Amino acid sequence: MIGVNLIPMSIRHAQAVRRRVLAWAMAVSVVAGAGSLPAVLATVQAARLSSLEGEQLALSGALSRLRREHTETVSQIEAIHNEIERATTFRQKREWSALLALIGRAMPQDVWLESIATDPALPTATAAPKTAVPATPASAITAVGGSQTPPAPPGGSSSVTIEAPRKLNIQGMARTYESIQAYAANLAGTGVFSSVVLGRSTSGGAGPGSGAPGSGEAYRFLIVCEW
């Protein structure tokens, strides 16, 4: 069967041109899309990388803050531990009440005290290696003097040792110089101190404010006891 196209040639030519233009447009679009795909992917990857870098900075800041807090906490724990060690060591030094009672028993009747002070006045704390030392009970008299380190807790590496005072300065007044000598002799006779030295003694009236009971002449003295 013979087909006859009744559409004018001009219209068919225009349709052919439109088809070719559309085909070229689609081809250009495909090529343009394929060319821009790497740029789009690069943009997406750059945005993702920027987001990850922001998260990394935030995590780094949080990690630094946690490290500072950890360091501060460790320092606080160590300070508290040292305070506990210091208090425990100082508490185990000696029973001062028993020592004061002994000093009072050795005092003659016409002698009265004005002050009792350790030398040095305040103990100092130093770090020392811990060793497992079995605890040994000590009486209030035999425990006088020196530095004493308490038994170390297991797993510890260092402890606080109190450098205890080794001297005791006893100041007071007496009616007679013989009473001062007797007091020094009584203290030496207790066997607690390694040495008892009568430092100085001055005579003077027992006027108002001197602390002397009654009236009459009194002697002011200083006795240094060392263990």
Side-chain angles (χ1 to χ4, degrees):
M1 180 178 182
I2 299 174
V4 179
N5 192 346
L6 300 178
I7 299 174
M9 182 61 67
S10 59
I11 296 176
R12 285 184 289 169
H13 179 70
Q15 290 178 347
V17 171
R18 283 198 297 270
R19 284 195 296 269
R20 285 195 289 272
V21 170
L22 182 59
W24 277 104
M26 292 180 62
V28 171
S29 299
V30 171
V31 172
S36 63
L37 182 60
V40 173
L41 293 177
T43 303
V44 173
Q45 293 295 334
R48 184 178 180 184
L49 179 61
S50 178
S51 176
L52 292 176
E53 288 177 350
E55 292 179 2
Q56 183 181 9
L57 290 177
L59 292 175
S60 299
L63 180 60
S64 300
R65 184 173 63 255
L66 290 176
R67 286 177 176 172
R68 288 194 302 269
E69 293 177 356
H70 174 71
T71 303
E72 294 175 357
T73 303
V74 170
S75 300
Q76 293 175 359
I77 292 175
E78 290 180 352
I80 294 173
H81 178 72
N82 290 337
E83 290 295 331
I84 294 174
E85 291 277 354
R86 183 185 179 95
T88 302
T89 305
F90 189 74
R91 188 167 57 249
Q92 293 178 351
K93 284 298 172 185
R94 61 187 62 83
E95 295 183 10
W96 287 99
S97 58
L99 179 61
L100 294 177
L102 180 141
I103 293 174
R105 288 194 300 269
M107 188 170 55
Q109 291 184 354
D110 59 345
V111 174
W112 63 97
L113 301 182
E114 293 179 323
S115 68
I116 300 177
T118 58
D119 185 11
L122 295 176
T124 59
T126 57
K130 288 184 177 180
T131 56
V133 179
T136 55
S139 62
I141 302 304
T142 58
V144 172
S147 61
Q148 179 179 348
T149 305
S157 59
S158 63
S159 64
V160 175
T161 301
I162 301 298
E163 296 296 334
R166 303 189 62 86
K167 292 182 181 179
L168 197 66
N169 298 329
I170 303 175
Q171 299 186 51
M173 299 186 71
R175 290 294 186 191
T176 62
Y177 185 76
E178 289 74 12
S179 297
I180 300 175
Q181 291 179 321
Y183 189 27
N186 293 341
L187 290 173
T190 59
V192 174
F193 308 103
S194 61
S195 67
V196 177
V197 179
L198 181 57
R200 68 171 184 270
S201 60
T202 58
S203 61
S210 64
S215 59
E217 189 175 7
Y219 294 84
R220 192 179 303 276
F221 65 87
L222 169 65
I223 298 177
V224 179
C225 302
E226 186 173 357
W227 48 76

